[in-house]
Amino acid sequence: MTELPGRRLLLVHAHPDDESINNGVTMARYAAEGAHVTLVTCTLGERGEVIPPGLAHLSGAALGGHRRGELADAMRALGVDDFRLLGGPGRFADSGMMGLSDNDDPGCLWQADVDAAAALLVDVVREVRPQVLVTYDPDGGYGHPDHIQAHRIAMRAVELAAEAGCPVAKVYWNRVPRSHAEAAFARLRDELPGLPFEKAAGVQDVPGVVDDAVITTGIHGEGTPYAAAKAAAMRAHATQITVAEPYFALSNDLAQPLLTTEYYELVRGERGDVGADGRESDLFAGITTAPGSGVAS
C-alpha cells in the first residue's frame, strides 16, 4: 500500500482528448504541485473522426487502441501518472454522436446501466479517496451521449461513495463563462487570416458556455508552464485535434480558442475563499488536507 498525497483530484471524462481540452491546465497545475491526479476515461473513442490522412485507415478497435496510446502521451505531457479506463480497456464502447444507430450498440456507454457503471467508479473513489471530482454538466457540455452518460455515472458514483463512507467533499462541472468565450472568439476573428484554418467556430460550438454568474472557480494558466503542457497534451491527441497555438480545430476544421484559463461550477460542497472576482482560484479551497488519509494499492 502506498500513501497518497494530501490533495487528491479525480476527473471523469468520456473519450481520450476530452481531458486535455477541458482540464489540461488544471491537471498540469495540480500534478506539478504534488497532488494525486486521477483520470478515469469511460471509452476509447472508437467512433471518433480521424484528422490526419495518414491515419485515416484507423477505425473501431484499431482506432481505440491508437487513441489509448495518444492518451498515454498526453498524460506524460501533463505529468499525470494515474489514468484508467472505466472497468478496464474495452469495457464500454464509444456510443457515437446522438441519434446515430451506434447509440443502440448494447456494448456502448450510452446503453450501460448507470448504477453498474457507477459501482466501477466507486471502486476508484474508495481507492484514491479524492476530495474533489470534476466532470461534465447534465448535458455533457454539448449533448454527446457519452458525455451525458459520464456525467450520470460520476454523479451517481458520488452518491454511492458517500453511502459507502467515502464522501467526495467537492464536485465541479466544466464550464466556460460567456464573456470569456466571446472575447476569445473576437481575437480569433481578427487573427484568422494568419492561421492554418479557413473558418472559425463560434461561441455556440464551445461546450459548457454559461452566464458569467454561474462560474464559481477559475484555474488560471496564461503565461504559465501549465498552458504549454495543455497545448502539448492536445497535440498528443493527433487523430482528433490540430493545434496552432493559441487556437485549435477538431475534425470539422473550424478554429476555436485554446483556453488557458479553465472555469468550473461548484455543484456539491462548500465554496472556499474567493478572490476579488468573487471566484475560487483553487479547486481545493476550503478543504483541510493531510497526508495519510488515502492509500493506493
Side-chain angles (χ1 to χ4, degrees):
M1 307 290 281
T2 303
E3 184 176 290
L4 294 175
R7 295 188 299 170
R8 300 177 297 280
L9 169 64
L10 172 63
L11 303 100
V12 181
H13 276 290
H15 316 104
D17 81 359
D18 293 325
E19 80 297 323
S20 297
I21 296 170
N22 286 279
N23 311 116
V25 164
T26 301
M27 296 173 73
R29 169 186 161 176
Y30 286 112
E33 290 180 355
H36 187 91
V37 178
T38 301
L39 169 68
V40 174
T41 306
C42 295
T43 82
L44 286 170
E46 301 93 336
R47 292 190 167 101
E49 296 179 353
V50 177
I51 295 174
L55 297 175
H57 62 283
L58 293 173
S59 64
L63 176 57
H66 188 89
R67 293 188 70 179
R68 187 181 181 191
E70 290 181 337
L71 180 61
D73 290 342
M75 292 303 95
R76 278 192 288 273
L78 297 178
V80 173
D81 298 322
D82 185 3
F83 54 99
R84 311 152 183 233
L85 279 301
L86 183 65
R91 178 64 177 269
F92 301 106
D94 187 338
S95 306
M97 298 299 289
M98 186 67 83
L100 298 180
S101 60
D102 298 331
N103 304 164
D104 300 324
D105 179 349
C108 77
L109 188 68
W110 186 238
Q111 294 296 327
D113 179 84
V114 170
D115 275 10
L120 297 172
L121 187 58
V122 170
D123 289 342
V124 180
V125 173
R126 290 170 66 93
E127 176 188 340
V128 302
R129 302 281 178 141
Q131 298 103 339
V132 177
L133 182 145
V134 170
T135 192
Y136 312 105
D137 63 26
D139 188 49
Y142 70 109
H144 192 294
D146 287 336
H147 288 237
I148 294 171
Q149 196 75 322
H151 160 86
R152 293 172 177 170
I153 291 166
M155 298 305 291
R156 181 61 176 145
V158 169
E159 294 175 352
L160 294 174
E163 293 172 4
C166 300
V168 178
K170 300 177 81 174
V171 176
Y172 291 93
W173 293 343
N174 296 308
R175 294 297 198 186
V176 179
R178 189 170 301 279
S179 67
H180 186 68
E182 289 175 345
F185 274 96
R187 291 191 295 272
L188 169 57
R189 287 192 293 271
D190 291 340
E191 298 177 12
L192 186 61
L195 298 176
F197 310 112
E198 291 187 4
K199 297 180 179 180
V203 171
Q204 72 279 2
D205 299 308
V206 177
V209 174
V210 292
D211 291 341
D212 289 27
V214 173
I215 306 299
T216 61
T217 311
I219 303 299
H220 297 267
E222 185 174 356
T224 72
Y226 313 134
K230 174 172 181 168
M234 290 173 64
R235 283 195 183 92
H237 291 290
T239 60
Q240 308 300 304
I241 306 173
T242 302
V243 177
E245 288 182 77
Y247 303 104
F248 75 99
L250 301 173
S251 60
N252 59 15
D253 203 35
L254 297 177
Q256 56 181 294
L258 194 163
L259 302 176
T260 55
T261 296
E262 295 167 349
Y263 292 96
Y264 301 92
E265 177 187 359
L266 177 66
V267 297
R268 185 182 179 109
E270 297 296 323
R271 191 183 306 202
D273 292 340
V274 300
D277 60 358
R279 296 170 181 163
E280 300 172 315
S281 59
D282 180 7
L283 299 181
F284 293 89
I287 295 175
T288 301
T289 60
S293 54
V295 294
S297 58

